Amino acid sequence: MLEACMNNLRERSALIHNITNYVTVNDVANMLLACGASPIMADEPDEVYDITSICGGLNINIGTLNKRSIEAMFVAGRRANELGHTVLLDPVGAGASALRTETALSLVDELRFDVIRGNISEIKALALGSGTTKGVDADVADAVTEENLDAMVAFAKDFAGKKSCIVAITGAIDLVADAQRCYVIRNGRPEMSKITGTGCQLSGMMTAFVTANPENKLAAAAAAVCTMGLAGEIGFANMLPGDGNSTYRNRIIDAVYNMSGRTLKAGAKYELR
Amino acid sequence: MLEACMNNLRERSALIHNITNYVTVNDVANMLLACGASPIMADEPDEVYDITSICGGLNINIGTLNKRSIEAMFVAGRRANELGHTVLLDPVGAGASALRTETALSLVDELRFDVIRGNISEIKALALGSGTTKGVDADVADAVTEENLDAMVAFAKDFAGKKSCIVAITGAIDLVADAQRCYVIRNGRPEMSKITGTGCQLSGMMTAFVTANPENKLAAAAAAVCTMGLAGEIGFANMLPGDGNSTYRNRIIDAVYNMSGRTLKAGAKYELR
Amino acid sequence: MLEACMNNLRERSALIHNITNYVTVNDVANMLLACGASPIMADEPDEVYDITSICGGLNINIGTLNKRSIEAMFVAGRRANELGHTVLLDPVGAGASALRTETALSLVDELRFDVIRGNISEIKALALGSGTTKGVDADVADAVTEENLDAMVAFAKDFAGKKSCIVAITGAIDLVADAQRCYVIRNGRPEMSKITGTGCQLSGMMTAFVTANPENKLAAAAAAVCTMGLAGEIGFANMLPGDGNSTYRNRIIDAVYNMSGRTLKAGAKYELR
């Protein structure tokens, strides 16, 4: 299934509109190209209606949001909903400021998302309507662990059911859930947290996977998580003495560029609960 | 001639003001440094008059444009015209939204450009005053090919004549034309299209080449295209197993950094029509 | 001392709020992660009060400033001052436009900075209340040299005394001074000037060093300069044939990622005047 999802993404050309932060945007664009999709970035309210109309998917990422880009998120999101496009929300830093939390909550209220993807702090901020986030990383005390896995799977399914969308909670263990099923994924490396934007890159790629697999959105979202984590493993295995987080960033994107559906199938580590 | 253009760029220091998108801006800056120029980025209308005044060239790129940056493009462009500076337009995504098409058309109407550089879809959108663009890449059906080369050369010369500037249409085959002459360039690799921003990087570098070679602008613009394409060939030849588009991006900039005028002369593949 | 500063930074987690330019922001974020800190970027006036409140340090960099981000700099700066956080100013391009010079001067007047870090042109623009800057690089005629070192050390101490903060002037020879003492640092490579944003990266990292070493701010600022310069030396030693400025950028960040306090102590080249 994951193999088919990746093959579909390589064969069908998905054009993805990204309204995203200026910190990691270049890596998001190169990751989209690496996985076989095409990126376009636009955040001016006056043009996002047009831009999103010619795309197949919309990736909304609220990092470095501002009043102008927030307006663009709503304009583009409404248009993408009208057209039945794939829409993903990455609530970067929800819980870290009132503006981010409120913007994320309003987006979820007013738009219809196919996927919400974040770390546990961000998803909790959305689920609870409030919360605190330490920077843009998951609070360690609130991580998904083997010990609390049953409870976290239940939480993910519950939130997915309430919002009628797929919920992806990424961290050391990744969860990708709809109301009934949850992929528990154990790919990846802890060193990935030392690269800025691996989450943003994953959100971009996940939008493309889901856009290219409309008949199988949950598996497609899980395939994106496995692809990113496996690329992290492959990239890490290729590290040489003296290499650090900057080279690791390049190697992860490179690993996605070179990954086949077959490699993904062989390397994906997941169970379905 | 191309060799001399590069040597001039290495010897004369060209300071280039870039009003450009936030997706590829870092690569544009590093590419300008790689070719021997110096970059400065500024897009606040209140300061671009000052900034462009201390520069030798102005590179206007409309990717991720917004109302503020559009205003800055006109302020800076008028000032650069007053001072007789080199001005280049990269109409990224013209045809993809009404705002981009109209902004590009207004810029061409109100400012005097030395060069307009884009893919065939973007240039057609400008030439026809309308059009459609698939993302930021050339529409395959509308590519410059060996079969339609005569017609495309004529189109490039005609458009260059109408706008009284150099027109550079880049793709698998690149055209760099004024009203009378057209360089047909066959450097480059198809894999370059899997890196975000190679076009933006080329536009930045081309602005520098033309700024450093005011007596020979057409050859300078062609030299920039050959440099970029040859760097793509050299960078590709240096790719190792496991390398992908992210590493390729670095290798192309590195290849420009290390390229001499002599190497360019030996590797440039062009004919003049 | 420098060794202890780095060890503290690795052990204590410093969350740094960056209001910085969109050209080099990704490298700043990866550099902060490389040195053991965590980055968060936000420049919307409506959220920077919240964001800076949860951080330990604030890095204000005026490259690609605009009216919105300028407002955010003041809001965040006042809040950081209230909370006694570390605050650093990087006056990128001060002297290059009236807006940059005036913004930098107003920030210095209205906020309390722990460190001001720039090249000699930028610091002079601040010290003199005016001046000219060639792009974002130091004017060669105004560089710190062995010949004018005594005078420049005196200038740095004097300006630090007047502004009651640490002043870091970076170039071929780096000065890090308070009113009484000045570190004169001779780490680094001239090739670092061919990478965009090494200064911005240093400013981000310096904010983290000072935040993690509140009891020893001057040494911490000097440790950041030595770390950056030594990383430039280590990264350069690792360059292979065909590598250029883009790969060098990655190697410098990688070198910081792998650097221990012991390596820093062994490689730092400084004297205290």
Side-chain angles (χ1 to χ4, degrees):
Chain A
M1 180 65 90
L2 303 194
E3 182 178 8
C5 289
M6 176 167 273
N7 291 340
N8 286 337
L9 177 53
R10 298 280 189 203
E11 286 158 23
R12 302 166 184 176
S13 72
L15 180 59
I16 306 300
H17 177 198
N18 301 274
I19 301 179
T20 189
N21 67 79
Y22 57 79
V23 184
T24 66
V25 60
N26 184 266
D27 292 329
V28 171
N30 276 325
M31 184 56 92
L32 280 164
L33 289 162
C35 73
S38 294
I40 187 163
M41 277 66 179
D43 65 7
E44 166 58 44
D46 277 8
E47 76 157 350
V48 292
Y49 182 98
D50 287 359
I51 296 292
T52 225
S53 297
I54 60 169
C55 291
L58 172 63
N59 171 31
I60 297 179
N61 175 310
I62 67 168
T64 66
L65 82 183
N66 59 55
K67 290 194 196 81
R68 175 172 55 73
S69 67
I70 293 171
E71 183 185 347
M73 292 171 194
F74 284 97
V75 173
R78 281 191 286 266
R79 178 60 175 159
N81 278 172
E82 276 175 19
L83 297 171
H85 289 179
T86 295
V87 189
L88 179 144
L89 175 64
D90 185 338
V92 176
S97 76
L99 182 67
R100 293 205 193 191
T101 308
E102 287 160 16
T103 299
L105 289 170
S106 296
L107 287 165
V108 171
D109 276 354
E110 298 188 26
L111 302 175
R112 201 172 58 249
F113 287 98
D114 294 280
V115 192
I116 302 173
R117 191 216 67 81
N119 62 36
I120 182 64
S121 295
E122 292 157 353
I123 300 298
K124 277 179 61 179
L126 284 187
L128 305 176
S130 70
T132 58
T133 295
K134 188 191 165 202
V136 293
D137 297 313
D139 187 316
V140 177
D142 286 346
V144 177
T145 64
E146 299 294 349
E147 288 67 37
N148 66 19
L149 190 53
D150 286 341
M152 296 306 296
V153 167
F155 164 74
K157 286 181 179 175
D158 180 66
F159 186 52
K162 280 180 181 149
K163 299 302 177 187
S164 303
C165 71
I166 296 165
V167 170
I169 304 172
T170 54
I173 301 172
D174 306 304
L175 306 179
V176 181
D178 64 16
Q180 283 80 39
R181 296 160 299 167
C182 181
Y183 283 84
V184 177
I185 300 169
R186 293 186 179 81
N187 286 107
R189 293 278 321 177
E191 293 81 1
M192 296 172 80
S193 67
K194 295 298 180 188
I195 303 168
T196 195
T198 48
C200 303
Q201 293 169 43
L202 172 55
S203 288
M205 181 160 59
M206 191 181 282
T207 310
F209 264 94
V210 175
T211 300
N213 291 281
E215 69 288 351
N216 229 321
K217 293 182 180 182
L218 184 66
V225 173
C226 292
T227 298
M228 189 73 196
L230 183 56
E233 297 169 22
I234 294 169
F236 193 80
N238 291 333
M239 296 281 274
L240 301 173
D243 286 351
N245 62 329
S246 190
T247 291
Y248 191 27
R249 178 258 309 268
N250 294 319
R251 290 192 190 281
I252 292 173
I253 298 173
D254 287 354
V256 171
Y257 184 84
N258 287 305
M259 197 181 297
S260 65
R262 181 171 299 203
T263 302
L264 174 61
K265 183 183 178 184
K269 303 186 192 103
Y270 67 92
E271 57 176 315
L272 202 49
R273 292 210 182 185
Chain B
M1 179 65 89
L2 303 194
E3 182 178 8
C5 289
M6 175 166 276
N7 291 340
N8 286 337
L9 177 53
R10 298 280 188 202
E11 285 158 24
R12 301 166 185 176
S13 71
L15 180 60
I16 306 301
H17 176 198
N18 301 274
I19 301 179
T20 188
N21 68 78
Y22 57 80
V23 184
T24 66
V25 60
N26 184 267
D27 292 330
V28 171
N30 276 325
M31 183 56 94
L32 279 164
L33 288 163
C35 74
S38 294
I40 187 163
M41 277 65 180
D43 64 9
E44 165 58 44
D46 277 6
E47 76 157 350
V48 293
Y49 183 96
D50 286 359
I51 296 292
T52 226
S53 297
I54 60 168
C55 292
L58 172 64
N59 171 31
I60 296 178
N61 175 309
I62 67 168
T64 67
L65 81 184
N66 60 54
K67 290 194 196 82
R68 176 173 55 73
S69 66
I70 293 170
E71 184 186 344
M73 292 171 194
F74 284 97
V75 173
R78 281 191 287 265
R79 179 59 176 160
N81 278 173
E82 275 175 18
L83 296 171
H85 289 178
T86 296
V87 189
L88 179 144
L89 175 65
D90 186 337
V92 176
S97 77
L99 182 67
R100 293 206 194 191
T101 309
E102 288 160 16
T103 298
L105 289 170
S106 297
L107 286 165
V108 171
D109 276 355
E110 298 188 25
L111 301 175
R112 200 170 60 248
F113 287 98
D114 293 280
V115 191
I116 301 173
R117 190 214 68 81
N119 63 35
I120 183 63
S121 295
E122 293 158 352
I123 300 298
K124 277 178 62 179
L126 284 189
L128 306 175
S130 71
T132 59
T133 294
K134 187 189 166 204
V136 293
D137 297 312
D139 188 315
V140 177
D142 286 347
V144 177
T145 64
E146 299 294 349
E147 287 68 37
N148 67 19
L149 191 53
D150 286 343
M152 295 307 295
V153 166
F155 164 74
K157 286 180 179 176
D158 180 64
F159 185 53
K162 279 181 181 148
K163 298 303 175 187
S164 302
C165 70
I166 295 166
V167 169
I169 303 173
T170 55
I173 301 173
D174 306 304
L175 306 180
V176 181
D178 64 14
Q180 282 81 39
R181 296 160 301 166
C182 181
Y183 283 85
V184 177
I185 299 169
R186 293 186 179 82
N187 286 105
R189 294 277 322 177
E191 293 81 1
M192 296 172 80
S193 67
K194 295 298 180 188
I195 303 169
T196 194
T198 48
C200 303
Q201 293 169 43
L202 172 55
S203 288
M205 182 159 58
M206 190 181 284
T207 310
F209 264 93
V210 175
T211 299
N213 291 280
E215 69 288 353
N216 229 321
K217 293 180 179 182
L218 184 66
V225 173
C226 292
T227 298
M228 189 74 195
L230 182 58
E233 297 170 22
I234 294 169
F236 193 80
N238 290 334
M239 295 282 273
L240 301 173
D243 286 350
N245 61 330
S246 190
T247 292
Y248 191 27
R249 177 257 309 266
N250 295 317
R251 289 193 190 282
I252 292 173
I253 298 174
D254 287 353
V256 171
Y257 184 85
N258 287 304
M259 196 181 297
S260 65
R262 182 172 296 203
T263 303
L264 173 60
K265 183 182 180 185
K269 304 185 193 103
Y270 67 92
E271 58 176 313
L272 201 49
R273 291 206 183 189
Chain C
M1 179 67 88
L2 303 194
E3 182 178 8
C5 288
M6 175 167 274
N7 291 341
N8 286 336
L9 178 53
R10 298 281 188 201
E11 285 158 25
R12 303 166 183 176
S13 70
L15 181 59
I16 306 300
H17 177 199
N18 301 274
I19 302 178
T20 189
N21 68 78
Y22 58 79
V23 184
T24 67
V25 59
N26 184 267
D27 292 329
V28 171
N30 276 325
M31 184 56 93
L32 279 164
L33 289 162
C35 73
S38 294
I40 187 162
M41 277 66 179
D43 65 9
E44 166 56 46
D46 277 7
E47 76 157 351
V48 293
Y49 182 97
D50 286 0
I51 296 292
T52 226
S53 297
I54 60 169
C55 291
L58 172 64
N59 171 31
I60 297 178
N61 175 309
I62 67 169
T64 67
L65 81 184
N66 59 55
K67 290 195 196 80
R68 177 174 54 72
S69 66
I70 293 171
E71 184 185 346
M73 292 171 195
F74 283 97
V75 173
R78 281 191 286 265
R79 179 60 176 158
N81 278 172
E82 275 175 19
L83 296 171
H85 289 178
T86 295
V87 189
L88 179 144
L89 174 65
D90 186 338
V92 176
S97 77
L99 182 66
R100 294 206 193 191
T101 308
E102 287 161 14
T103 298
L105 290 170
S106 296
L107 287 165
V108 171
D109 276 354
E110 298 188 26
L111 301 175
R112 200 171 58 249
F113 286 99
D114 293 281
V115 191
I116 302 173
R117 191 215 68 80
N119 63 35
I120 183 62
S121 295
E122 293 158 352
I123 300 298
K124 276 179 63 180
L126 284 188
L128 307 176
S130 72
T132 59
T133 294
K134 188 190 166 202
V136 292
D137 297 313
D139 188 317
V140 177
D142 286 348
V144 177
T145 63
E146 299 294 349
E147 287 67 38
N148 66 20
L149 190 54
D150 286 341
M152 297 306 295
V153 167
F155 165 74
K157 287 181 179 176
D158 179 64
F159 185 52
K162 280 181 180 148
K163 298 302 175 188
S164 303
C165 71
I166 295 166
V167 169
I169 303 172
T170 54
I173 300 173
D174 306 304
L175 306 180
V176 181
D178 63 14
Q180 282 80 40
R181 295 161 300 167
C182 181
Y183 284 83
V184 177
I185 299 170
R186 293 186 178 81
N187 286 107
R189 293 278 320 177
E191 293 82 0
M192 297 173 79
S193 67
K194 294 299 179 186
I195 304 168
T196 194
T198 48
C200 303
Q201 293 169 43
L202 172 55
S203 288
M205 181 159 58
M206 191 181 285
T207 310
F209 264 93
V210 174
T211 300
N213 292 281
E215 69 288 351
N216 229 321
K217 294 180 177 181
L218 183 66
V225 173
C226 291
T227 298
M228 189 74 196
L230 182 57
E233 296 169 23
I234 294 169
F236 192 81
N238 290 334
M239 296 281 274
L240 300 172
D243 286 351
N245 60 330
S246 189
T247 291
Y248 190 28
R249 178 258 308 267
N250 294 318
R251 289 192 190 281
I252 291 173
I253 298 174
D254 287 354
V256 171
Y257 184 83
N258 287 305
M259 196 181 298
S260 65
R262 183 172 297 203
T263 303
L264 173 61
K265 183 183 178 184
K269 302 187 193 102
Y270 67 92
E271 57 175 314
L272 201 49
R273 291 208 183 188

